[in-house]
């Protein structure tokens, strides 16, 4: 009933652990679709050695990236329901069964759950509860990222009808971009209060590239500018302020000032925006001292 789509690239060890967590799911008719993004032959050899009829392996002739690999897997999927996994994530016990039961209960387009971040870089574990998105999905998703693909179960037909919401240019924040996109259509969804997967954040993680994260935020804010402006000028101003802080952190000071000004233009009543504008006329030494203190809170 569920097709699990896993894009992967040269990460055999973590893929093995991800597969183990799927094998123990208590769901009948589980199909696992592995899209190998043109990596070496280790993954292919391993999958072949498993001789598992529930695993379908496809190798891209050239590197397509995560988004296009997911779309490829979606189009190849046989089942009615779709789950996404990354090769370095772990599904929790019985997660798919609980997601599936919730999906069937009211014929939802998708259901989403909570998730856990296992940050190997900072040696911390953080639990993300997404119950707030049940109350007002549109408002909260415009404020910032919420559900990941991995904590959701979708109807295949819903995803096929939402293909235009998959956007390669928004990587590594493609999840956020997708969920903003689908809010423009009618959707029937539900949140279930379980932690369905663990996101293992490490030095190889796509989202660990700070500059790419910045460019993704810049791109998404530009793409959905009119939607953000219509729903909340305060939120749009916040996004510009975040971008300004990120540029400052990367020592791209001209770009940071540009986005601080955009934040102020959108929301002149914000005290933070006013203070950021005020710092521009301060002596340089004082400016950098204050900015370093402020930006550290935003980007850390």
């Amino acid at each position: 009933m569920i097709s699990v789509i896993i894009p992967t690239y040269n990460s055999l060890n973590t893929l093995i652990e991800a597969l183990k967590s799927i094998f123990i799911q208590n769901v009948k008719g589980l199909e696992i679709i592995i899209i190998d993004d043109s990596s070496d032959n280790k993954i292919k050899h391993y999958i072949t050695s498993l001789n598992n009829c529930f695993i379908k392996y496809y190798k891209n002739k050239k590197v397509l990236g995560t988004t296009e690999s997911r779309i490829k897997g979606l189009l190849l999927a046989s089942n009615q329901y779709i789950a996404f996994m990354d090769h370095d994530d772990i599904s929790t016990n019985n997660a798919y069964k609980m997601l599936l039961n919730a999906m069937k209960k009211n014929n939802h387009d998708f259901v989403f759950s909570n998730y856990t971040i296992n940050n190997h870089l900072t040696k911390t574990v953080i639990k993300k509860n997404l119950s707030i998105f049940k109350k007002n999905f549109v408002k909260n998703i415009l404020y910032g990222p919420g559900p990941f693909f991995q904590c959701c179960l979708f109807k295949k037909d819903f995803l096929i009808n939402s293909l235009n919401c998959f956007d390669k240019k928004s990587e590594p924040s493609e999840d956020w971009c997708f969920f903003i996109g689908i809010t423009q259509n009618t959707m029937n969804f539900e949140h279930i209060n379980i932690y369905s997967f663990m996101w293992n954040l490490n030095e190889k993680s796509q989202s660990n590239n700070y500059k790419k994260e910045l460019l993704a935020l810049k791109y998404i804010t530009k793409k959905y500018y009119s939607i953000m402006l219509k729903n909340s000028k305060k939120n749009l101003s916040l996004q510009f302020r975040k971008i300004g802080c990120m540029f400052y952190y990367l020592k791209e000071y001209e770009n940071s000032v540009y986005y601080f000004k955009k934040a102020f233009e959108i929301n002149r009543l914000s005290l933070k925006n006013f203070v950021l504008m005020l710092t521009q006329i301060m002596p340089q030494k004082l400016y950098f001292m204050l900015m370093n203190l402020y930006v550290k809170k935003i980007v850390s």
Side-chain angles (χ1 to χ4, degrees):
M1 301 191 76
I2 299 176
S3 293
V4 185
I5 298 167
I6 311 176
T8 187
Y9 177 75
N10 282 341
S11 296
L12 177 58
N13 291 337
T14 54
L15 176 63
I16 290 173
E17 296 305 312
L19 287 172
K20 286 179 180 178
S21 74
I22 297 173
F23 291 153
I24 62 174
Q25 297 295 318
N26 187 21
V27 176
K28 294 181 179 179
L30 201 64
E31 175 185 60
I32 302 172
I33 299 176
I34 296 176
I35 307 297
D36 185 342
D37 203 15
S38 193
S39 52
D40 58 36
N41 288 322
K42 292 180 182 177
I43 292 174
K44 181 179 180 180
H45 292 157
Y46 173 74
I47 299 302
T48 302
S49 71
L50 292 178
N51 193 27
N52 188 322
C53 63
F54 296 107
I55 300 178
K56 296 180 179 179
Y57 171 87
Y58 302 91
K59 186 170 185 175
N60 297 335
K61 293 181 180 179
K62 61 178 182 179
V63 175
L64 298 179
T66 305
T67 299
E68 290 187 23
S69 293
R70 283 183 180 139
I71 293 173
K72 180 177 178 178
L74 171 61
L75 298 177
L76 290 166
S78 304
N79 289 327
Q80 179 183 0
Y81 301 107
I82 302 294
F84 293 103
M85 276 280 284
D86 285 352
H87 56 218
D88 52 358
D89 296 329
I90 302 294
S91 287
T92 57
N93 291 352
N94 289 323
Y96 289 167
K97 184 176 182 179
M98 288 184 278
L99 289 167
L100 184 60
N101 289 341
M103 178 75 90
K104 289 180 175 180
K105 189 174 181 180
N106 288 302
N107 196 29
H108 296 296
D109 294 316
F110 71 96
V111 294
F112 63 97
S113 66
N114 311 319
Y115 62 91
T116 304
I117 303 173
N118 184 18
N119 193 326
H120 293 275
L121 303 175
T122 60
K123 308 297 182 184
T124 57
V125 176
I126 302 172
K127 288 186 175 292
K128 290 286 186 178
N129 189 302
L130 301 182
S131 58
I132 190 173
F133 285 85
K134 181 178 179 179
K135 298 176 182 178
N136 192 328
F137 194 95
V138 176
K139 176 183 177 182
N140 287 294
I141 200 64
L142 289 175
Y143 184 81
F148 282 96
F149 283 118
Q150 299 96 306
C151 69
C152 300
L153 184 66
F154 300 90
K155 271 187 183 176
K156 181 181 179 181
D157 290 345
F158 175 77
L159 290 177
I160 294 295
N161 291 331
S162 305
L163 281 178
N164 63 322
C165 297
F166 289 88
D167 191 339
K168 182 177 182 177
K169 293 180 181 178
S170 64
E171 295 178 13
S173 296
E174 71 277 3
D175 307 71
W176 187 34
C177 187
F178 173 85
F179 283 106
I180 294 176
I182 63 174
T183 62
Q184 306 313 297
N185 304 317
T186 302
M187 56 185 188
N188 177 18
F189 64 90
E190 182 60 88
H191 168 262
I192 60 172
N193 196 30
I194 65 167
Y195 290 83
S196 66
F197 91 100
M198 178 177 286
W199 173 27
N200 285 304
L201 180 61
N202 53 57
E203 66 279 356
K204 292 183 179 180
S205 297
Q206 186 175 221
S207 20
N208 192 36
N209 189 313
Y210 194 81
K211 186 62 178 284
K212 283 186 177 180
E213 284 281 359
L214 165 57
L215 295 177
L217 176 56
K218 180 183 172 184
Y219 172 80
I220 293 168
T221 305
K222 182 178 180 180
K223 179 175 182 176
Y224 292 115
Y225 177 88
S226 59
I227 296 171
M228 290 182 175
L229 183 64
K230 180 180 178 181
N231 281 271
S232 173
K233 288 185 178 181
K234 182 178 179 181
N235 172 58
L236 179 58
S237 175
L238 170 65
Q239 303 308 325
F240 284 144
R241 199 161 62 238
K242 283 182 181 177
I243 295 171
C245 288
M246 294 172 82
F247 270 125
Y248 181 91
Y249 182 75
L250 293 175
K251 295 182 170 54
E252 297 186 29
Y253 301 123
E254 287 187 14
N255 284 328
S256 71
V257 172
Y258 172 79
Y259 278 96
F260 290 147
K261 287 181 178 178
K262 286 179 72 71
F264 180 72
E265 289 168 2
I266 293 294
N267 184 10
R268 294 176 181 271
L269 298 179
S270 166
L271 179 60
K272 289 181 180 179
N273 289 341
F274 176 76
V275 171
L276 285 170
M277 286 295 95
L278 188 62
T279 60
Q280 307 304 318
I281 60 174
M282 290 180 177
Q284 191 177 71
K285 186 175 182 179
L286 180 59
Y287 169 76
F288 283 113
M289 182 183 75
L290 293 174
M291 286 300 300
N292 288 341
L293 291 172
Y294 177 69
V295 169
K296 184 178 180 180
K297 292 181 180 180
I298 301 299
V299 301
S300 60

